[in-house]
Structure formats: C-alpha cells, structure tokens
Amino acid sequence: MPTLSSIPVLTGNDRTNLTAVPEGLLLRGRHRNITIPAEAVARVRAEGTSVAVELRALIGATPTVYRIEGVDGARAVAFAEGVNSLIEPEEQEEEVDGISLVVSDTRKTRWTLGANRRLKWFVLAVLAVTVALAVFGGLTQGAVYPVITVFLTPIIGACFAGSMQELTQSLHARRLRRTGVKEFARPANLPGSYVYQDSTRLNHALIRLGAGPYVEVVYDPADPADWVTLRPGFMERLSRAAGVFTFLCGIGGLALMVLMLSEV
C-alpha cells in the first residue's frame, strides 16, 4: 500500500504544485495556498496532463473540483492512484460537505494585484519623466538642470507613490465596509490565526494578533479573500495619516523643484 512519501509531488503551470501531506492535500499557487483535509476528498482523477481533486458533497449538491494543469502524465497517474488508495471506503459512506472543510490562504487579492500594477506603471512613468526632463534640461539649460531633476524627481515621485498606495488602500477599505458582506472569523489552530466562511462555504484564513475570541470582518463578495475588519484599527488610521503626510511632502518637493529650476 502506498505511503505519503511514495506519492509524487505534482508541479504544474504557473508555479503551482500539489502535495500529499499528513492532513490531506496542499495545493500551492503563486498567490494562494489551499489546504484540503483528507476527509474532504472524494477522489482524485488523472486526466492526461492535469489532475482533478473532487471534494465530497451533500446529496444533490454539485461537488467542487480543484485542478492542477500541465503536470507529467505518469506522475499524475501515480499521484491519483496513491491518494485514492489511502481514502477509507467506510468514511465515504458518511455525508460530508467537503468545501466547508477546505481552507484558502490568499496572499494577494485581485485588488492588491491591481494596485501593484498601477504602482509599477506609476514608477515607470516617474523614471521616464525624470530622464526626459534631465535630457531636455541638459541640452537647453546647462548641467545644473539635470542634476536638480535627477536628485529631486525620484524623491517627489516616491512621496506621491507612497501616498497613492496608502490612500487608495484606505478608500478601498472604506468601500468594503459600506458594500461588503459581514462575517465572524473564528480562531484556527495557530495563535493569532482565524478563518471565516464566504457564501460558498469556503474558509479563508487571516492573521490578527491579539484580536480575542473572534474577529468581525467584511469581505468583498466579488473576491471573498479580500477582507478588512469591521472597524478601522490604529495601524489603518496611522497608514491614512502617513498617506496624507507623504502627499503633502510630494507637493512641497514639487514646489521646491520648480523654484530651484526657475532660478537656473
């Protein structure tokens, strides 16, 4: 009979991998880890270069299926046969809602990925403006112009970039509190870790140190992994103040650069 050590680790597209662990299965991706307890698994199917993990479901409900694509075909067969052989037939006779046992740990939400893209393009724009101003000023105004530009423009850009990141995060959190779905996160196994269920009964993990017996959260119904606490905490208010401060620093730096360049 296969053991966990004899079941291969599957590596698929986009740096995803599927591993058999003592608790069940662990599906790891670039931005999310999904822990699937053994009692939640109905069966594992090898489908050519992909593997499908079908969860147990209540009678009449459609089973949830997690897939990993782009794996080696032989390893896929060995993985499916190994995991299926460890599933106890008598346990499958009991009716279980498998999705309610699964825990999703998301490191980057859709909003976070979008914010990072906007920040990247903003930084590239600042670099392009810096180079253009330095070259133009050097050709028309002499050597002092590009020195001032190269020194001050990145600093000003960093102030505006930091302000944009902090203030848009604050506005996003405010929108979630106004339009999101309220839920209570209950303690998980590790200290400071909690889980809450979305409308599909999938559990989402979060870390909140010193929060007490439960955490009241609000999540985005379009992206349930995107959550904030129901009331803003001290760090969130501090972040908002830092955003306003860095914005004012950017305005001050911009005014200083215009003043210095006007005297060149």
Side-chain angles (χ1 to χ4, degrees):
M1 183 176 182
T3 61
L4 286 178
S5 60
S6 67
I7 299 176
V9 175
L10 300 181
T11 302
N13 297 332
D14 202 21
R15 290 187 285 178
T16 59
N17 63 71
L18 181 61
T19 310
V21 295
E23 296 78 15
L25 300 177
L26 178 59
L27 179 60
R28 289 178 287 198
R30 292 179 60 190
H31 307 303
R32 182 171 73 154
N33 293 340
I34 299 175
T35 303
I36 308 173
E39 57 269 27
V41 180
R43 59 175 176 159
V44 179
R45 303 191 304 269
E47 302 172 346
T49 58
S50 68
V51 167
V53 179
E54 181 181 320
L55 303 186
R56 298 167 68 180
L58 301 177
I59 295 176
T62 302
T64 300
V65 177
Y66 290 104
R67 296 181 182 275
I68 179 171
E69 307 282 350
V71 302
D72 178 78
R75 294 174 70 85
V77 171
F79 184 92
E81 291 179 348
V83 174
N84 288 332
S85 67
L86 296 177
I87 296 176
E88 299 293 340
E90 58 271 16
E91 291 183 357
Q92 296 293 309
E93 297 176 1
E94 181 184 355
E95 194 176 2
V96 172
D97 183 15
I99 189 64
S100 66
L101 303 176
V102 175
V103 177
S104 173
D105 183 9
T106 303
R107 295 182 294 276
K108 290 185 178 179
T109 63
R110 296 174 190 171
W111 187 89
T112 302
L113 293 172
N116 289 343
R117 281 194 298 271
R118 291 190 294 271
L119 181 61
K120 180 186 71 175
W121 286 112
F122 181 82
V123 171
L124 291 175
V126 169
L127 291 176
V129 169
T130 301
V131 172
L133 287 177
V135 171
F136 175 78
L139 295 175
T140 60
Q141 304 293 331
V144 178
Y145 195 104
V147 171
I148 296 175
T149 301
V150 170
F151 178 73
L152 287 180
T153 304
I155 298 176
I156 296 170
C159 288
F160 283 127
S163 175
M164 178 181 71
Q165 194 78 344
E166 298 295 344
L167 294 179
T168 54
Q169 173 65 49
S170 176
L171 291 174
H172 176 66
R174 181 176 297 182
R175 181 187 67 82
L176 283 185
R177 293 189 178 98
R178 188 175 62 252
T179 63
V181 179
K182 296 179 183 178
E183 188 57 77
F184 287 96
R186 63 187 187 277
N189 297 329
L190 299 176
S193 63
Y194 296 79
V195 293
Y196 64 92
Q197 277 194 351
D198 63 22
S199 58
T200 66
R201 304 182 308 283
L202 175 65
N203 296 294
H204 296 270
L206 62 93
I207 300 295
R208 197 74 177 178
L209 298 176
Y214 65 88
V215 178
E216 200 169 2
V217 300
V218 182
Y219 68 85
D220 187 347
D223 184 12
D226 189 0
W227 64 273
V228 294
T229 54
L230 188 60
R231 295 177 180 82
F234 170 75
M235 292 305 297
E236 187 173 337
R237 290 191 290 268
L238 181 62
S239 176
R240 190 182 308 165
V244 174
F245 176 74
T246 53
F247 178 78
L248 295 176
C249 288
I251 293 294
L254 186 61
L256 176 63
M257 187 176 76
V258 171
L259 178 64
M260 293 178 67
L261 293 178
S262 64
E263 296 179 354
V264 174

